Short mmCIF file of all heavy atoms in Angstrom, two decimals:
data_model
loop_
_atom_site.label_atom_id
_atom_site.label_comp_id
_atom_site.label_asym_id
_atom_site.label_seq_id
_atom_site.Cartn_x
_atom_site.Cartn_y
_atom_site.Cartn_z
N ILE A 1012 0.85 -1.22 0.01
CA ILE A 1012 -0.01 -0.02 0.01
C ILE A 1012 0.92 1.26 0.01
O ILE A 1012 1.99 1.22 0.53
CB ILE A 1012 -0.96 -0.02 1.22
CG1 ILE A 1012 -0.12 -0.15 2.49
CG2 ILE A 1012 -1.99 -1.07 1.06
CD1 ILE A 1012 -1.00 -0.13 3.80
N PRO A 1013 0.40 2.34 -0.61
CA PRO A 1013 1.31 3.52 -0.81
C PRO A 1013 1.41 4.42 0.42
O PRO A 1013 1.04 5.59 0.43
CB PRO A 1013 0.61 4.26 -1.93
CG PRO A 1013 -0.87 3.95 -1.71
CD PRO A 1013 -0.91 2.50 -1.23
N PHE A 1014 1.99 3.88 1.52
CA PHE A 1014 2.22 4.65 2.68
C PHE A 1014 3.68 4.40 3.20
O PHE A 1014 4.17 3.34 3.07
CB PHE A 1014 1.27 4.27 3.81
CG PHE A 1014 -0.16 4.67 3.55
CD1 PHE A 1014 -1.09 3.73 3.00
CD2 PHE A 1014 -0.58 5.96 3.76
CE1 PHE A 1014 -2.40 4.09 2.74
CE2 PHE A 1014 -1.94 6.30 3.50
CZ PHE A 1014 -2.82 5.35 2.98
N LEU A 1015 4.25 5.52 3.71
CA LEU A 1015 5.55 5.43 4.36
C LEU A 1015 5.57 6.33 5.62
O LEU A 1015 4.78 7.26 5.68
CB LEU A 1015 6.68 5.87 3.41
CG LEU A 1015 6.99 5.01 2.18
CD1 LEU A 1015 7.97 5.75 1.27
CD2 LEU A 1015 7.65 3.73 2.70
N VAL A 1016 6.51 6.05 6.51
CA VAL A 1016 6.71 7.00 7.59
C VAL A 1016 7.34 8.24 6.96
O VAL A 1016 7.99 8.15 5.86
CB VAL A 1016 7.64 6.39 8.65
CG1 VAL A 1016 7.02 5.21 9.34
CG2 VAL A 1016 9.03 6.06 8.10
N PRO A 1017 7.16 9.41 7.53
CA PRO A 1017 7.65 10.68 6.91
C PRO A 1017 9.10 10.64 6.63
O PRO A 1017 9.54 11.15 5.60
CB PRO A 1017 7.34 11.71 8.05
CG PRO A 1017 6.14 11.19 8.73
CD PRO A 1017 6.36 9.71 8.73
N ARG A 1018 9.94 10.00 7.48
CA ARG A 1018 11.39 9.91 7.23
C ARG A 1018 11.68 9.18 5.90
O ARG A 1018 12.61 9.61 5.17
CB ARG A 1018 11.97 9.19 8.44
CG ARG A 1018 13.48 9.16 8.48
CD ARG A 1018 13.96 8.26 9.64
NE ARG A 1018 15.33 8.43 9.93
CZ ARG A 1018 15.84 9.20 10.85
NH1 ARG A 1018 15.00 9.94 11.63
NH2 ARG A 1018 17.13 9.28 11.05
N ALA A 1019 10.96 8.13 5.68
CA ALA A 1019 11.25 7.39 4.42
C ALA A 1019 10.66 8.11 3.23
O ALA A 1019 11.30 8.06 2.13
CB ALA A 1019 10.61 5.98 4.58
N ALA A 1020 9.52 8.78 3.40
CA ALA A 1020 8.96 9.54 2.27
C ALA A 1020 9.88 10.67 1.84
O ALA A 1020 10.05 10.95 0.62
CB ALA A 1020 7.60 10.15 2.67
N ILE A 1021 10.61 11.30 2.77
CA ILE A 1021 11.54 12.35 2.45
C ILE A 1021 12.74 11.79 1.71
O ILE A 1021 13.24 12.35 0.79
CB ILE A 1021 12.01 13.09 3.78
CG1 ILE A 1021 10.85 13.90 4.38
CG2 ILE A 1021 13.23 13.98 3.42
CD1 ILE A 1021 11.15 14.46 5.72
N LEU A 1022 13.17 10.61 2.13
CA LEU A 1022 14.29 9.97 1.43
C LEU A 1022 13.94 9.60 -0.05
O LEU A 1022 14.75 9.88 -0.93
CB LEU A 1022 14.67 8.68 2.18
CG LEU A 1022 15.72 7.80 1.49
CD1 LEU A 1022 17.09 8.48 1.42
CD2 LEU A 1022 15.85 6.42 2.22
N LEU A 1023 12.73 9.06 -0.25
CA LEU A 1023 12.32 8.75 -1.55
C LEU A 1023 12.24 9.98 -2.46
O LEU A 1023 12.71 9.94 -3.61
CB LEU A 1023 10.93 8.12 -1.53
CG LEU A 1023 10.28 7.76 -2.87
CD1 LEU A 1023 11.14 6.82 -3.72
CD2 LEU A 1023 8.91 7.07 -2.63
N GLN A 1024 11.79 11.04 -1.89
CA GLN A 1024 11.72 12.30 -2.68
C GLN A 1024 13.13 12.79 -3.01
O GLN A 1024 13.43 13.28 -4.10
CB GLN A 1024 10.99 13.37 -1.83
CG GLN A 1024 10.70 14.66 -2.60
CD GLN A 1024 9.47 14.54 -3.52
OE1 GLN A 1024 8.86 13.48 -3.56
NE2 GLN A 1024 9.23 15.60 -4.31
N GLU A 1025 14.03 12.67 -2.07
CA GLU A 1025 15.47 13.09 -2.33
C GLU A 1025 16.07 12.22 -3.39
O GLU A 1025 16.85 12.72 -4.24
CB GLU A 1025 16.21 12.97 -1.00
CG GLU A 1025 17.67 13.49 -1.09
CD GLU A 1025 18.35 13.61 0.22
OE1 GLU A 1025 17.85 13.04 1.21
OE2 GLU A 1025 19.50 14.10 0.28
N ILE A 1026 15.83 10.97 -3.40
CA ILE A 1026 16.35 10.09 -4.45
C ILE A 1026 15.87 10.49 -5.84
O ILE A 1026 16.71 10.64 -6.79
CB ILE A 1026 15.97 8.62 -4.19
CG1 ILE A 1026 16.67 8.02 -2.91
CG2 ILE A 1026 16.31 7.67 -5.41
CD1 ILE A 1026 16.15 6.72 -2.47
N GLY A 1027 14.57 10.74 -5.91
CA GLY A 1027 13.99 11.21 -7.19
C GLY A 1027 14.62 12.54 -7.63
O GLY A 1027 14.95 12.68 -8.81
N SER A 1028 14.73 13.42 -6.76
CA SER A 1028 15.26 14.77 -7.01
C SER A 1028 16.69 14.75 -7.44
O SER A 1028 17.16 15.32 -8.42
CB SER A 1028 15.07 15.69 -5.83
OG SER A 1028 15.69 16.99 -6.09
N ASN A 1029 17.49 13.98 -6.70
CA ASN A 1029 18.92 13.85 -7.05
C ASN A 1029 19.16 13.08 -8.38
O ASN A 1029 20.08 13.43 -9.11
CB ASN A 1029 19.65 13.02 -5.89
CG ASN A 1029 19.74 13.87 -4.64
OD1 ASN A 1029 19.30 15.02 -4.57
ND2 ASN A 1029 20.30 13.23 -3.61
N PHE A 1030 18.28 12.14 -8.65
CA PHE A 1030 18.36 11.46 -9.95
C PHE A 1030 18.08 12.43 -11.13
O PHE A 1030 18.81 12.44 -12.10
CB PHE A 1030 17.37 10.35 -10.03
CG PHE A 1030 17.36 9.51 -11.26
CD1 PHE A 1030 18.44 8.77 -11.57
CD2 PHE A 1030 16.23 9.46 -12.11
CE1 PHE A 1030 18.54 7.96 -12.75
CE2 PHE A 1030 16.26 8.66 -13.22
CZ PHE A 1030 17.42 7.91 -13.58
N PHE A 1031 17.05 13.33 -10.95
CA PHE A 1031 16.82 14.34 -11.92
C PHE A 1031 18.01 15.24 -12.14
O PHE A 1031 18.48 15.54 -13.28
CB PHE A 1031 15.61 15.22 -11.45
CG PHE A 1031 14.33 14.85 -12.09
CD1 PHE A 1031 14.03 13.51 -12.39
CD2 PHE A 1031 13.37 15.83 -12.41
CE1 PHE A 1031 12.82 13.20 -12.96
CE2 PHE A 1031 12.17 15.43 -13.01
CZ PHE A 1031 11.90 14.15 -13.29
N ASP A 1032 18.61 15.68 -11.04
CA ASP A 1032 19.81 16.58 -11.11
C ASP A 1032 20.99 15.91 -11.82
O ASP A 1032 21.65 16.53 -12.62
CB ASP A 1032 20.23 17.02 -9.69
CG ASP A 1032 19.20 17.93 -9.08
OD1 ASP A 1032 18.35 18.49 -9.79
OD2 ASP A 1032 19.25 18.12 -7.80
N SER A 1033 21.18 14.65 -11.51
CA SER A 1033 22.34 13.96 -12.12
C SER A 1033 22.12 13.78 -13.63
O SER A 1033 23.11 13.93 -14.40
CB SER A 1033 22.47 12.58 -11.45
OG SER A 1033 22.88 12.70 -10.09
N LEU A 1034 20.90 13.48 -14.00
CA LEU A 1034 20.61 13.35 -15.45
C LEU A 1034 20.89 14.70 -16.17
O LEU A 1034 21.48 14.74 -17.24
CB LEU A 1034 19.18 12.95 -15.68
CG LEU A 1034 18.80 11.54 -15.23
CD1 LEU A 1034 17.29 11.24 -15.52
CD2 LEU A 1034 19.65 10.49 -15.96
N ALA A 1035 20.48 15.80 -15.53
CA ALA A 1035 20.69 17.12 -16.11
C ALA A 1035 22.15 17.46 -16.21
O ALA A 1035 22.62 17.93 -17.30
CB ALA A 1035 19.94 18.17 -15.28
N VAL A 1036 22.87 17.21 -15.18
CA VAL A 1036 24.35 17.48 -15.20
C VAL A 1036 25.07 16.64 -16.25
O VAL A 1036 25.98 17.11 -16.91
CB VAL A 1036 25.00 17.20 -13.78
CG1 VAL A 1036 26.46 17.21 -13.88
CG2 VAL A 1036 24.46 18.30 -12.80
N LYS A 1037 24.64 15.42 -16.44
CA LYS A 1037 25.32 14.55 -17.43
C LYS A 1037 24.71 14.62 -18.84
O LYS A 1037 25.06 13.82 -19.72
CB LYS A 1037 25.24 13.09 -16.93
CG LYS A 1037 25.93 12.88 -15.55
CD LYS A 1037 25.75 11.49 -15.04
CE LYS A 1037 26.25 11.32 -13.63
NZ LYS A 1037 27.67 11.65 -13.47
N GLN A 1038 23.75 15.56 -18.98
CA GLN A 1038 23.20 15.85 -20.28
C GLN A 1038 22.42 14.63 -20.83
O GLN A 1038 22.50 14.29 -21.97
CB GLN A 1038 24.17 16.32 -21.27
CG GLN A 1038 24.94 17.58 -20.84
CD GLN A 1038 26.01 17.98 -21.80
OE1 GLN A 1038 25.77 18.03 -22.99
NE2 GLN A 1038 27.20 18.27 -21.31
#
């Protein structure tokens, strides 16, 4: 089910955001 404790939800968001940034930097 799509639920996480806040700590884990923040980590997941950070992974997605950092992945976006890495793709942009590497063109």
Side-chain angles (χ1 to χ4, degrees):
I1012 53 179
F1014 291 99
L1015 289 171
V1016 295
R1018 188 187 193 95
I1021 292 172
L1022 172 65
L1023 176 57
Q1024 189 78 4
E1025 186 173 7
I1026 292 172
S1028 175
N1029 290 359
F1030 183 63
F1031 261 36
D1032 291 343
S1033 293
L1034 292 178
V1036 167
K1037 299 176 190 300
Q1038 303 177 46

